[in-house]
Amino acid sequence: MAYRNNIKKILYGGDYNPEQWPEEVWQEDMRMMKKAHINIVTLNVFSWAALQPDEDTYDFTKLDKIMEYVGENGLKVCMATSTGAHPAWMAKRHPDILRTEIDGRKRKFGGRHNSCPNSPTYRKYAPKLAGELARRYKGYDNIAAWHVSNEFGGECYCENCEKAFRGWLKETYGTIEEVNRSYNTSFWGHTFYDWDEIVLPSFLSEHFDCNGRNMTMFQGISLDYRRFMSDSILDCFRLEYDVLKKEMPDTPVTTNLMGFYKELDYQKWGKYMDFVSWDSYPSPENTPAETALNHDLMRGCGGQDSFVLMEQTPSVTNWHPFNRLKRPGVMRLLSYQAAAHGADAIQFFQIRRTVGACEKFHGAVIDHAGRDDTRVFREVAQLGEELERLGDIFLEGRTPAETALLFDWDNWWAAEYSAGPSVRMKYLDAIKDYYAPLHSQNIPVDIISVTDDLSRYKVVFVPLLYMTKSGYDEKIREFVENGGTFVTTYFSGIVDEHDLVLPGGYPGRLKDVLGIWVEEQDALPEGEQNAFVYRGPEYPADILCDIIRLQGAKCVSAYQRDFYQRTPVITVNSYGKGKAWYVGTRSSQEFYRAFVSEIMQEAGVTGVMETPEGVEAAVRETKKGRVLFLLNHNTKEEGIVLEKEYRDLLEESVYHEGDLVILPAKGVRVLWAEI
Ligand code: GLA
Ligand code: ZN
């Protein structure tokens, strides 16, 4: 279920806070939104205090007025439930709603996204407000979706959370013996005899600060706390979801996610959301590949359907250390990049720039000058006009990926809680190592979770799969047996889902499919490297060097130095009809490019098309045809020769096979070919 969209146009708009302004300003807002071709507003994101002045009173007078006003002006509404920041009176009267920090400090009222997810008060009043809103506004046919809370996140260490954690453990493990086994509590005499001996893993118990890293002495319990916290917050989403659906079963419900946000397992969350939406705020240092990777992750969380770009800034943020302006054309380019990776709506934070508090210097469609002749407004209006012309041409179009890259939240948590072998090892870096070359070759990629089916892919990359959950090895074996190409790396197959090592040699359950075992791992400090030669050139071996023993696999490259010189670093194993590769170290982008392109060639996977460096080509396929997005991220003009006939959807011209398309700096083409 995507946005309820009966206008057959891409929804375009953003967060709108008319409650902060006198009504004369609303009129001007409507004029400007019309001029910018905006057709949807997200309302009511932070209005809890205004809507509920005390325990029993709800006051919708202002929101009624706003709803009438935007409805009369033909706008669709993404209706937020306002539960992202609780009212001050509620915190005073019911302090259980306030969170406790990891060091035991109880918070006071302030900020936002500040409610304890296991607070009885929050769990009572948040869904109650959602229900009141749904009952009041269910008659409006312009509500395109419900937007629960706002950017759920964070964590809490209060006593209610501790109690709920024990309940979660009981449900998960059944017996205290099973908890003891899973956490290996015989280490350091941690054996629990009773459930209420179990305390939250915090700076008062298992955690300690190690040069700014939050480390734990018992990974098992810390890992479970993360799972529990993600589930607790998900429960809060679901409580509101259920009451909204009861009143308006046909209206989709979402909440805005944040890409690679470590605290919440979005792959699990996605299963409970009608559609995934997310807020994209790349900093100028982020590469186009990093932004694309986030979009692909978010698309994957929604089951590879499309997603909604719920927020982006039209121009500037206020919370980076230096808030550089998006250069001319960049907002348009990033919007089309989102669309190219699956976005079915493009929305901004925010429509009108606020005058007070910490977001007064955050970009907006209408800035403090309030004029429609600013650069930013003109760019927003131009994009709005273009999107209107594109109609529904790419809506719900799919990314035709034959390649998958596995990402697993549990593994992210576990790998980075690990004490040893190296603090330099970062799960996201390993993911990017493989994503970047795929992106630069314009190869469509699905970011998948461990629950996803592998049979639709030709190649599956599984970097740094430290935690190999029960059954996942079988999935991989079956995939390779049936002809798939599987690539994994150093520090994989080490532990099970409880972070317990799988004895018998690394990489545990993956040894047979890979035809190797790993005897030792050498963690290299910054500045020290080994090396290997791969198809000619020499590449660095960095961070971790696995010392590999062959058990059926072929050695493709060997280390050049040290006592493990001439032992394998890259291996390949033929297994059934497929192949399983192991890359036993971290190397350079040059290596990953060469390696990934060989893998893809062998597997018969080609990119969308060849483009100059910095020009991205991505497609979305619908039942009728294929939309090709050409995105020039460079600051100079680029030319691309087309391999077949395309119609330019924005320029209304036709290109023939062999024609040269010119893309200005930061320019975009949206092309169409019938299937
Ligand atoms: C987030 C929030 C918005 C706003 C923006 C500012 O995405 O959801 O309310 O604070 O950040 O960038
Ligand atoms: Zn709590």
Side-chain angles (χ1 to χ4, degrees):
M1 199 189 240
Y3 253 142
R4 206 169 66 160
N5 183 354
N6 50 8
I7 55 171
K8 300 275 172 259
K9 284 183 208 161
I10 299 150
L11 291 174
Y12 185 57
D15 278 34
Y16 178 47
N17 304 307
E19 65 278 1
Q20 295 182 14
W21 300 91
E23 283 173 39
E24 310 82 79
V25 177
W26 301 2
Q27 219 173 350
E28 176 62 356
D29 292 340
M30 295 303 136
R31 181 190 73 78
M32 295 206 26
M33 280 194 248
K34 236 167 246 161
K35 194 162 181 190
H37 302 266
I38 281 172
N39 51 34
I40 188 162
V41 284
T42 302
L43 293 179
N44 199 42
V45 183
F46 291 107
S47 309
W48 197 348
L51 299 177
Q52 190 183 359
D54 62 47
E55 316 261 339
D56 313 302
T57 319
Y58 289 93
D59 179 0
F60 296 110
T61 331
K62 193 146 200 186
L63 189 54
D64 285 352
K65 225 179 207 175
I66 294 168
M67 280 299 282
E68 287 305 319
Y69 206 76
V70 300
E72 279 161 17
N73 282 278
L75 290 167
K76 290 202 162 287
V77 173
C78 173
M79 186 68 144
T81 62
S82 263
T83 54
H86 53 236
W89 66 260
M90 201 178 277
K92 185 174 109 191
R93 206 160 314 154
H94 304 284
D96 67 279
I97 203 168
L98 296 166
R99 289 185 178 183
T100 298
E101 305 274 3
I102 189 170
D103 59 4
R105 274 182 308 159
K106 175 97 180 158
R107 290 194 66 96
K108 294 195 174 186
F109 175 75
R112 58 171 177 172
H113 308 150
N114 45 7
S115 314
C116 162
N118 290 297
S119 143
T121 304
Y122 186 63
R123 286 184 174 221
K124 176 177 163 192
Y125 285 116
K128 189 148 184 284
L129 177 57
E132 296 284 343
L133 285 163
R135 270 188 296 282
R136 186 147 193 112
Y137 297 107
K138 66 180 169 190
Y140 286 74
D141 62 1
N142 61 334
I143 298 185
W146 284 96
H147 173 303
V148 173
S149 187
N150 188 70
E151 294 190 338
F152 276 110
E155 49 190 19
C156 181
Y157 294 83
C158 75
E159 282 179 8
N160 282 325
C161 285
E162 193 159 72
K163 271 188 230 137
F165 183 53
R166 290 178 192 137
W168 185 93
L169 289 175
K170 265 188 213 162
E171 212 167 281
T172 310
Y173 293 101
T175 64
I176 198 93
E177 289 73 29
E178 192 49 23
V179 173
N180 282 317
R181 190 195 67 79
S182 302
Y183 297 168
N184 198 35
T185 52
S186 50
F187 177 79
W188 287 0
H190 268 47
T191 310
F192 299 118
Y193 291 90
D194 204 344
W195 293 101
D196 59 11
E197 290 163 15
I198 302 176
V199 297
L200 284 182
S202 70
F203 285 147
L204 307 178
S205 55
E206 305 295 2
H207 282 244
F208 60 102
D209 181 273
C210 178
N211 301 323
R213 286 180 86 212
N214 171 4
M215 299 291 288
T216 173
M217 287 173 273
F218 270 80
Q219 280 76 15
I221 192 168
S222 299
L223 185 63
D224 269 352
Y225 165 75
R226 282 202 178 277
R227 289 170 170 151
F228 155 76
M229 205 24 73
S230 175
D231 284 358
S232 296
I233 301 176
L234 175 57
D235 282 346
C236 296
F237 168 77
R238 292 176 63 191
L239 286 170
E240 291 194 41
Y241 179 97
D242 289 346
V243 296
L244 295 167
K245 286 311 251 201
K246 203 171 133 226
E247 299 299 333
M248 295 176 73
D250 301 327
T251 306
V253 179
T254 191
T255 182
N256 45 343
L257 308 183
M258 296 175 277
F260 284 97
Y261 178 71
K262 197 169 180 182
E263 278 78 358
L264 302 180
D265 179 353
Y266 286 154
Q267 286 166 330
K268 188 166 183 184
W269 277 62
K271 296 191 176 20
Y272 298 94
M273 297 166 64
D274 290 333
F275 66 89
V276 160
S277 62
W278 89 283
D279 303 342
S280 178
Y281 291 96
S283 72
E285 298 81 58
N286 286 130
T287 62
E290 286 169 324
T291 307
L293 170 59
N294 273 278
H295 291 311
D296 287 350
L297 174 79
M298 293 288 94
R299 192 184 69 241
C301 290
Q304 308 303 346
D305 285 337
S306 53
F307 63 88
V308 162
L309 182 65
M310 187 60 85
E311 293 180 22
Q312 66 169 341
T313 176
S315 55
V316 72
T317 56
N318 65 294
W319 44 268
H320 286 120
F322 305 96
N323 296 287
R324 293 208 77 186
L325 296 173
K326 279 184 177 167
R327 310 333 258 182
V330 171
M331 180 281 289
R332 175 174 180 263
L333 175 68
L334 291 177
S335 301
Y336 281 114
Q337 187 190 28
H341 286 268
D344 271 354
I346 304 290
Q347 298 183 198
F348 299 106
F349 179 86
Q350 52 197 330
I351 300 291
R352 185 181 275 278
R353 197 181 266 210
T354 188
V355 291
C358 66
E359 285 179 343
K360 62 182 176 299
F361 298 122
H362 194 288
V365 172
I366 306 170
D367 69 17
H368 289 152
R371 302 173 60 116
D372 60 12
D373 60 354
T374 61
R375 173 183 75 91
V376 171
F377 187 85
R378 274 188 272 115
E379 288 192 34
V380 169
Q382 184 204 328
L383 178 62
E385 187 276 320
E386 289 177 7
L387 293 177
E388 196 161 281
R389 266 195 288 136
L390 290 171
D392 63 350
I393 194 125
F394 60 74
L395 292 192
E396 291 177 30
R398 307 277 297 195
T399 301
E402 297 176 310
T403 306
L405 177 58
L406 181 91
F407 185 80
D408 180 45
W409 251 268
D410 280 316
N411 182 53
W412 190 9
W413 296 332
E416 295 185 4
Y417 266 151
S418 170
S422 171
V423 294
R424 297 178 62 214
M425 209 163 38
K426 296 274 180 293
Y427 184 41
L428 274 188
D429 288 349
I431 297 293
K432 288 180 198 165
D433 286 345
Y434 288 88
Y435 186 84
L438 291 165
H439 180 261
S440 76
Q441 290 167 46
N442 299 316
I443 293 171
V445 185
D446 281 350
I447 307 297
I448 57 166
S449 80
V450 290
T451 60
D452 288 323
D453 177 31
L454 301 181
S455 63
R456 57 202 254 204
Y457 302 108
K458 288 187 177 161
V459 184
V460 176
F461 291 92
V462 181
L464 214 149
L465 193 67
Y466 163 70
M467 174 180 286
T468 307
K469 295 174 180 166
S470 310
Y472 203 64
D473 54 314
E474 274 152 36
K475 232 177 183 173
I476 290 169
R477 229 171 271 126
E478 193 186 322
F479 169 72
V480 183
E481 246 166 18
N482 291 327
T485 301
F486 163 65
V487 180
T488 190
T489 71
Y490 59 95
F491 212 49
S492 291
I494 314 277
V495 297
D496 68 5
E497 53 273 42
H498 302 297
D499 204 49
L500 294 174
V501 167
L502 296 153
Y506 315 133
R509 297 170 179 143
L510 301 175
K511 289 196 296 285
D512 60 339
V513 67
L514 290 162
I516 57 161
W517 73 280
V518 174
E519 188 174 340
E520 289 183 282
Q521 301 155 326
D522 193 17
L524 306 182
E526 189 107 49
E528 228 177 84
Q529 289 181 335
N530 206 312
F532 61 91
V533 171
Y534 174 79
R535 313 285 185 231
E538 185 181 286
Y539 298 103
D542 202 0
I543 297 194
L544 199 71
C545 296
D546 276 357
I547 304 179
I548 301 171
R549 304 270 295 267
L550 299 176
Q551 251 177 0
K554 235 174 54 197
C555 171
V556 176
S557 286
Y559 290 107
Q560 298 280 81
R561 293 196 276 277
D562 221 320
F563 77 93
Y564 43 93
Q565 188 183 29
R566 285 192 289 276
T567 68
V569 55
I570 301 173
T571 63
V572 60
N573 193 36
S574 295
Y575 188 88
K577 290 191 226 139
K579 279 186 175 171
W581 290 80
Y582 191 80
V583 182
T585 191
R586 184 170 192 227
S587 193
S588 60
Q589 261 308 299
E590 291 71 33
F591 163 72
Y592 291 112
R593 275 186 181 227
F595 177 69
V596 166
S597 90
E598 182 189 327
I599 297 283
M600 301 325 273
Q601 227 164 26
E602 256 195 41
V605 179
T606 48
V608 168
M609 64 193 300
E610 268 184 49
T611 52
E613 183 84 44
V615 178
E616 183 179 353
V619 297
R620 285 181 75 177
E621 283 179 3
T622 65
K623 283 191 197 93
K624 291 183 225 136
R626 133 191 242 257
V627 181
L628 169 65
F629 296 84
L630 296 175
L631 309 156
N632 182 8
H633 297 284
N634 295 333
T635 45
K636 63 177 189 8
E637 181 181 289
E638 299 285 359
I640 295 152
V641 179
L642 293 176
E643 84 293 5
K644 62 181 205 178
E645 189 173 306
Y646 280 102
R647 186 155 62 84
D648 190 317
L649 293 170
L650 294 174
E651 306 283 315
E652 292 301 337
S653 52
V654 174
Y655 291 107
H656 301 283
E657 183 190 331
D659 279 359
L660 180 73
V661 182
I662 298 293
L663 284 165
K666 305 289 176 194
V668 172
R669 300 266 168 203
V670 186
L671 307 178
W672 167 259
E674 306 273 316
I675 280 199

